[in-house]
């Protein structure tokens, strides 16, 4: 079903529709990226009726969104979580060279005008590095092979695994503590053996990643925060 867009409290909100044969009524929730809402449709309710329901719920949506953390810009003088540590963001002025971490700060080189872009590009490269390393480690341990690995800004999931052997991850995992990134890698790599969340799948994950439930709890608690940094 074609998504829709609505203005709520002067803010554009995306509306995604999901059909669910088991739903008993229309269900509304915020999307995981907090940029919109997801509405679940029970059988026999059409898109128009669902959209009407969303419009009537504008007050609820506005109220829920007002409780969400605002998007944090990545600016000099601000803070950012990197590998689970909160670091101060500093600009090195126009000095060239590599971005470095020292004494609780991340020092971003290059023109300060491009600081956000430079830091996000650097974080994506770090994410790729750590995710390749973790995925290769678990692939070897679980005796499976992946074909490709991509790092993107996927909003709805931390990682995914396709049947052709492609692993995809959110770059924002680099913001989380390493045990969380490791768990997501173990989870996706385990899907190369079990394309489901059955008992065999969880047995395999837990055999290689004893921190799984701690990592899941961390993501549940801090996931929205990881998505709260502006990315461009
Ligand atoms: Zn999964």
């Amino acid at each position: 079903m074609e998504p829709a867009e609505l203005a709520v409290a002067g803010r554009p909100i995306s509306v995604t529709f999901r059909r669910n044969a088991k739903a008993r009524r229309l269900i509304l929730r915020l999307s995981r990226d907090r940029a919109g809402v997801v509405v679940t449709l029970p059988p026999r309710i059409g898109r128009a009726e669902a959209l009407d329901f969303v419009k009537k719920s504008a007050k609820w949506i506005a109220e829920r969104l007002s409780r969400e953390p605002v998007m944090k810009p990545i600016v000099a003088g601000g803070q950012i979580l990197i590998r689970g540590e909160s670091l101060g963001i500093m600009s090195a002025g126009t000095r060239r060279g590599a971005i470095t971490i020292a004494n609780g700060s991340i020092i971003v080189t290059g023109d300060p005008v491009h600081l956000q872009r430079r830091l996000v590009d650097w974080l994506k490269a770090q994410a790729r590095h750590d995710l390749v390393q973790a995925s290769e480690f678990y692939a070897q341990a679980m005796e499976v092979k992946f074909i490709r690995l991509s790092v993107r800004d996927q909003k709805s999931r931390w990682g995914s695994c396709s049947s052709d052997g492609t692993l995809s991850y959110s770059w924002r995992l680099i913001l989380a503590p390493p045990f969380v990134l490791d768990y997501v890698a173990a989870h996706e790599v385990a899907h190369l053996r079990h394309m489901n969340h059955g008992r065999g799948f969880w047995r395999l994950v837990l055999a290689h990643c004893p921190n799984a439930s701690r990592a899941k709890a961390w993501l549940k608690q801090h996931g929205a925060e990881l998505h709260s940094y502006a990315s461009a």
Side-chain angles (χ1 to χ4, degrees), residues 100-179:
T100 51
I101 293 174
N103 306 321
S105 292
I106 180 149
I107 301 139
V108 185
T109 46
D111 190 331
V113 174
H114 304 302
L115 181 140
Q116 178 164 295
R117 161 72 50 215
R118 291 242 325 139
L119 185 48
V120 169
D121 285 350
W122 183 84
L123 288 167
K124 285 179 180 171
Q126 297 292 307
R128 166 167 277 278
H129 171 271
D130 288 15
L131 285 161
V132 165
Q133 208 169 39
S135 302
E136 279 174 353
F137 173 83
Y138 289 114
Q140 199 172 15
M142 296 177 189
E143 298 177 325
V144 290
K145 276 199 165 75
F146 60 91
I147 306 296
R148 240 171 301 128
L149 187 153
S150 74
V151 174
R152 299 181 292 181
D153 199 3
Q154 40 189 29
K155 294 280 158 71
S156 57
R157 287 187 289 182
W158 297 111
S160 60
C161 173
S162 67
S163 52
D164 70 356
T166 302
L167 303 173
S168 303
Y169 297 104
S170 164
W171 71 266
R172 293 172 188 273
L173 287 166
I174 195 65
L175 308 174
F179 77 89

Side-chain angles (χ1 to χ4, degrees), residues 69-86:
V70 278
M71 286 302 268
K72 288 185 227 117
I74 295 174
V75 288
Q79 294 277 128
I80 190 163
L81 207 60
I82 300 178
R83 293 190 177 97
E85 261 186 88
S86 184

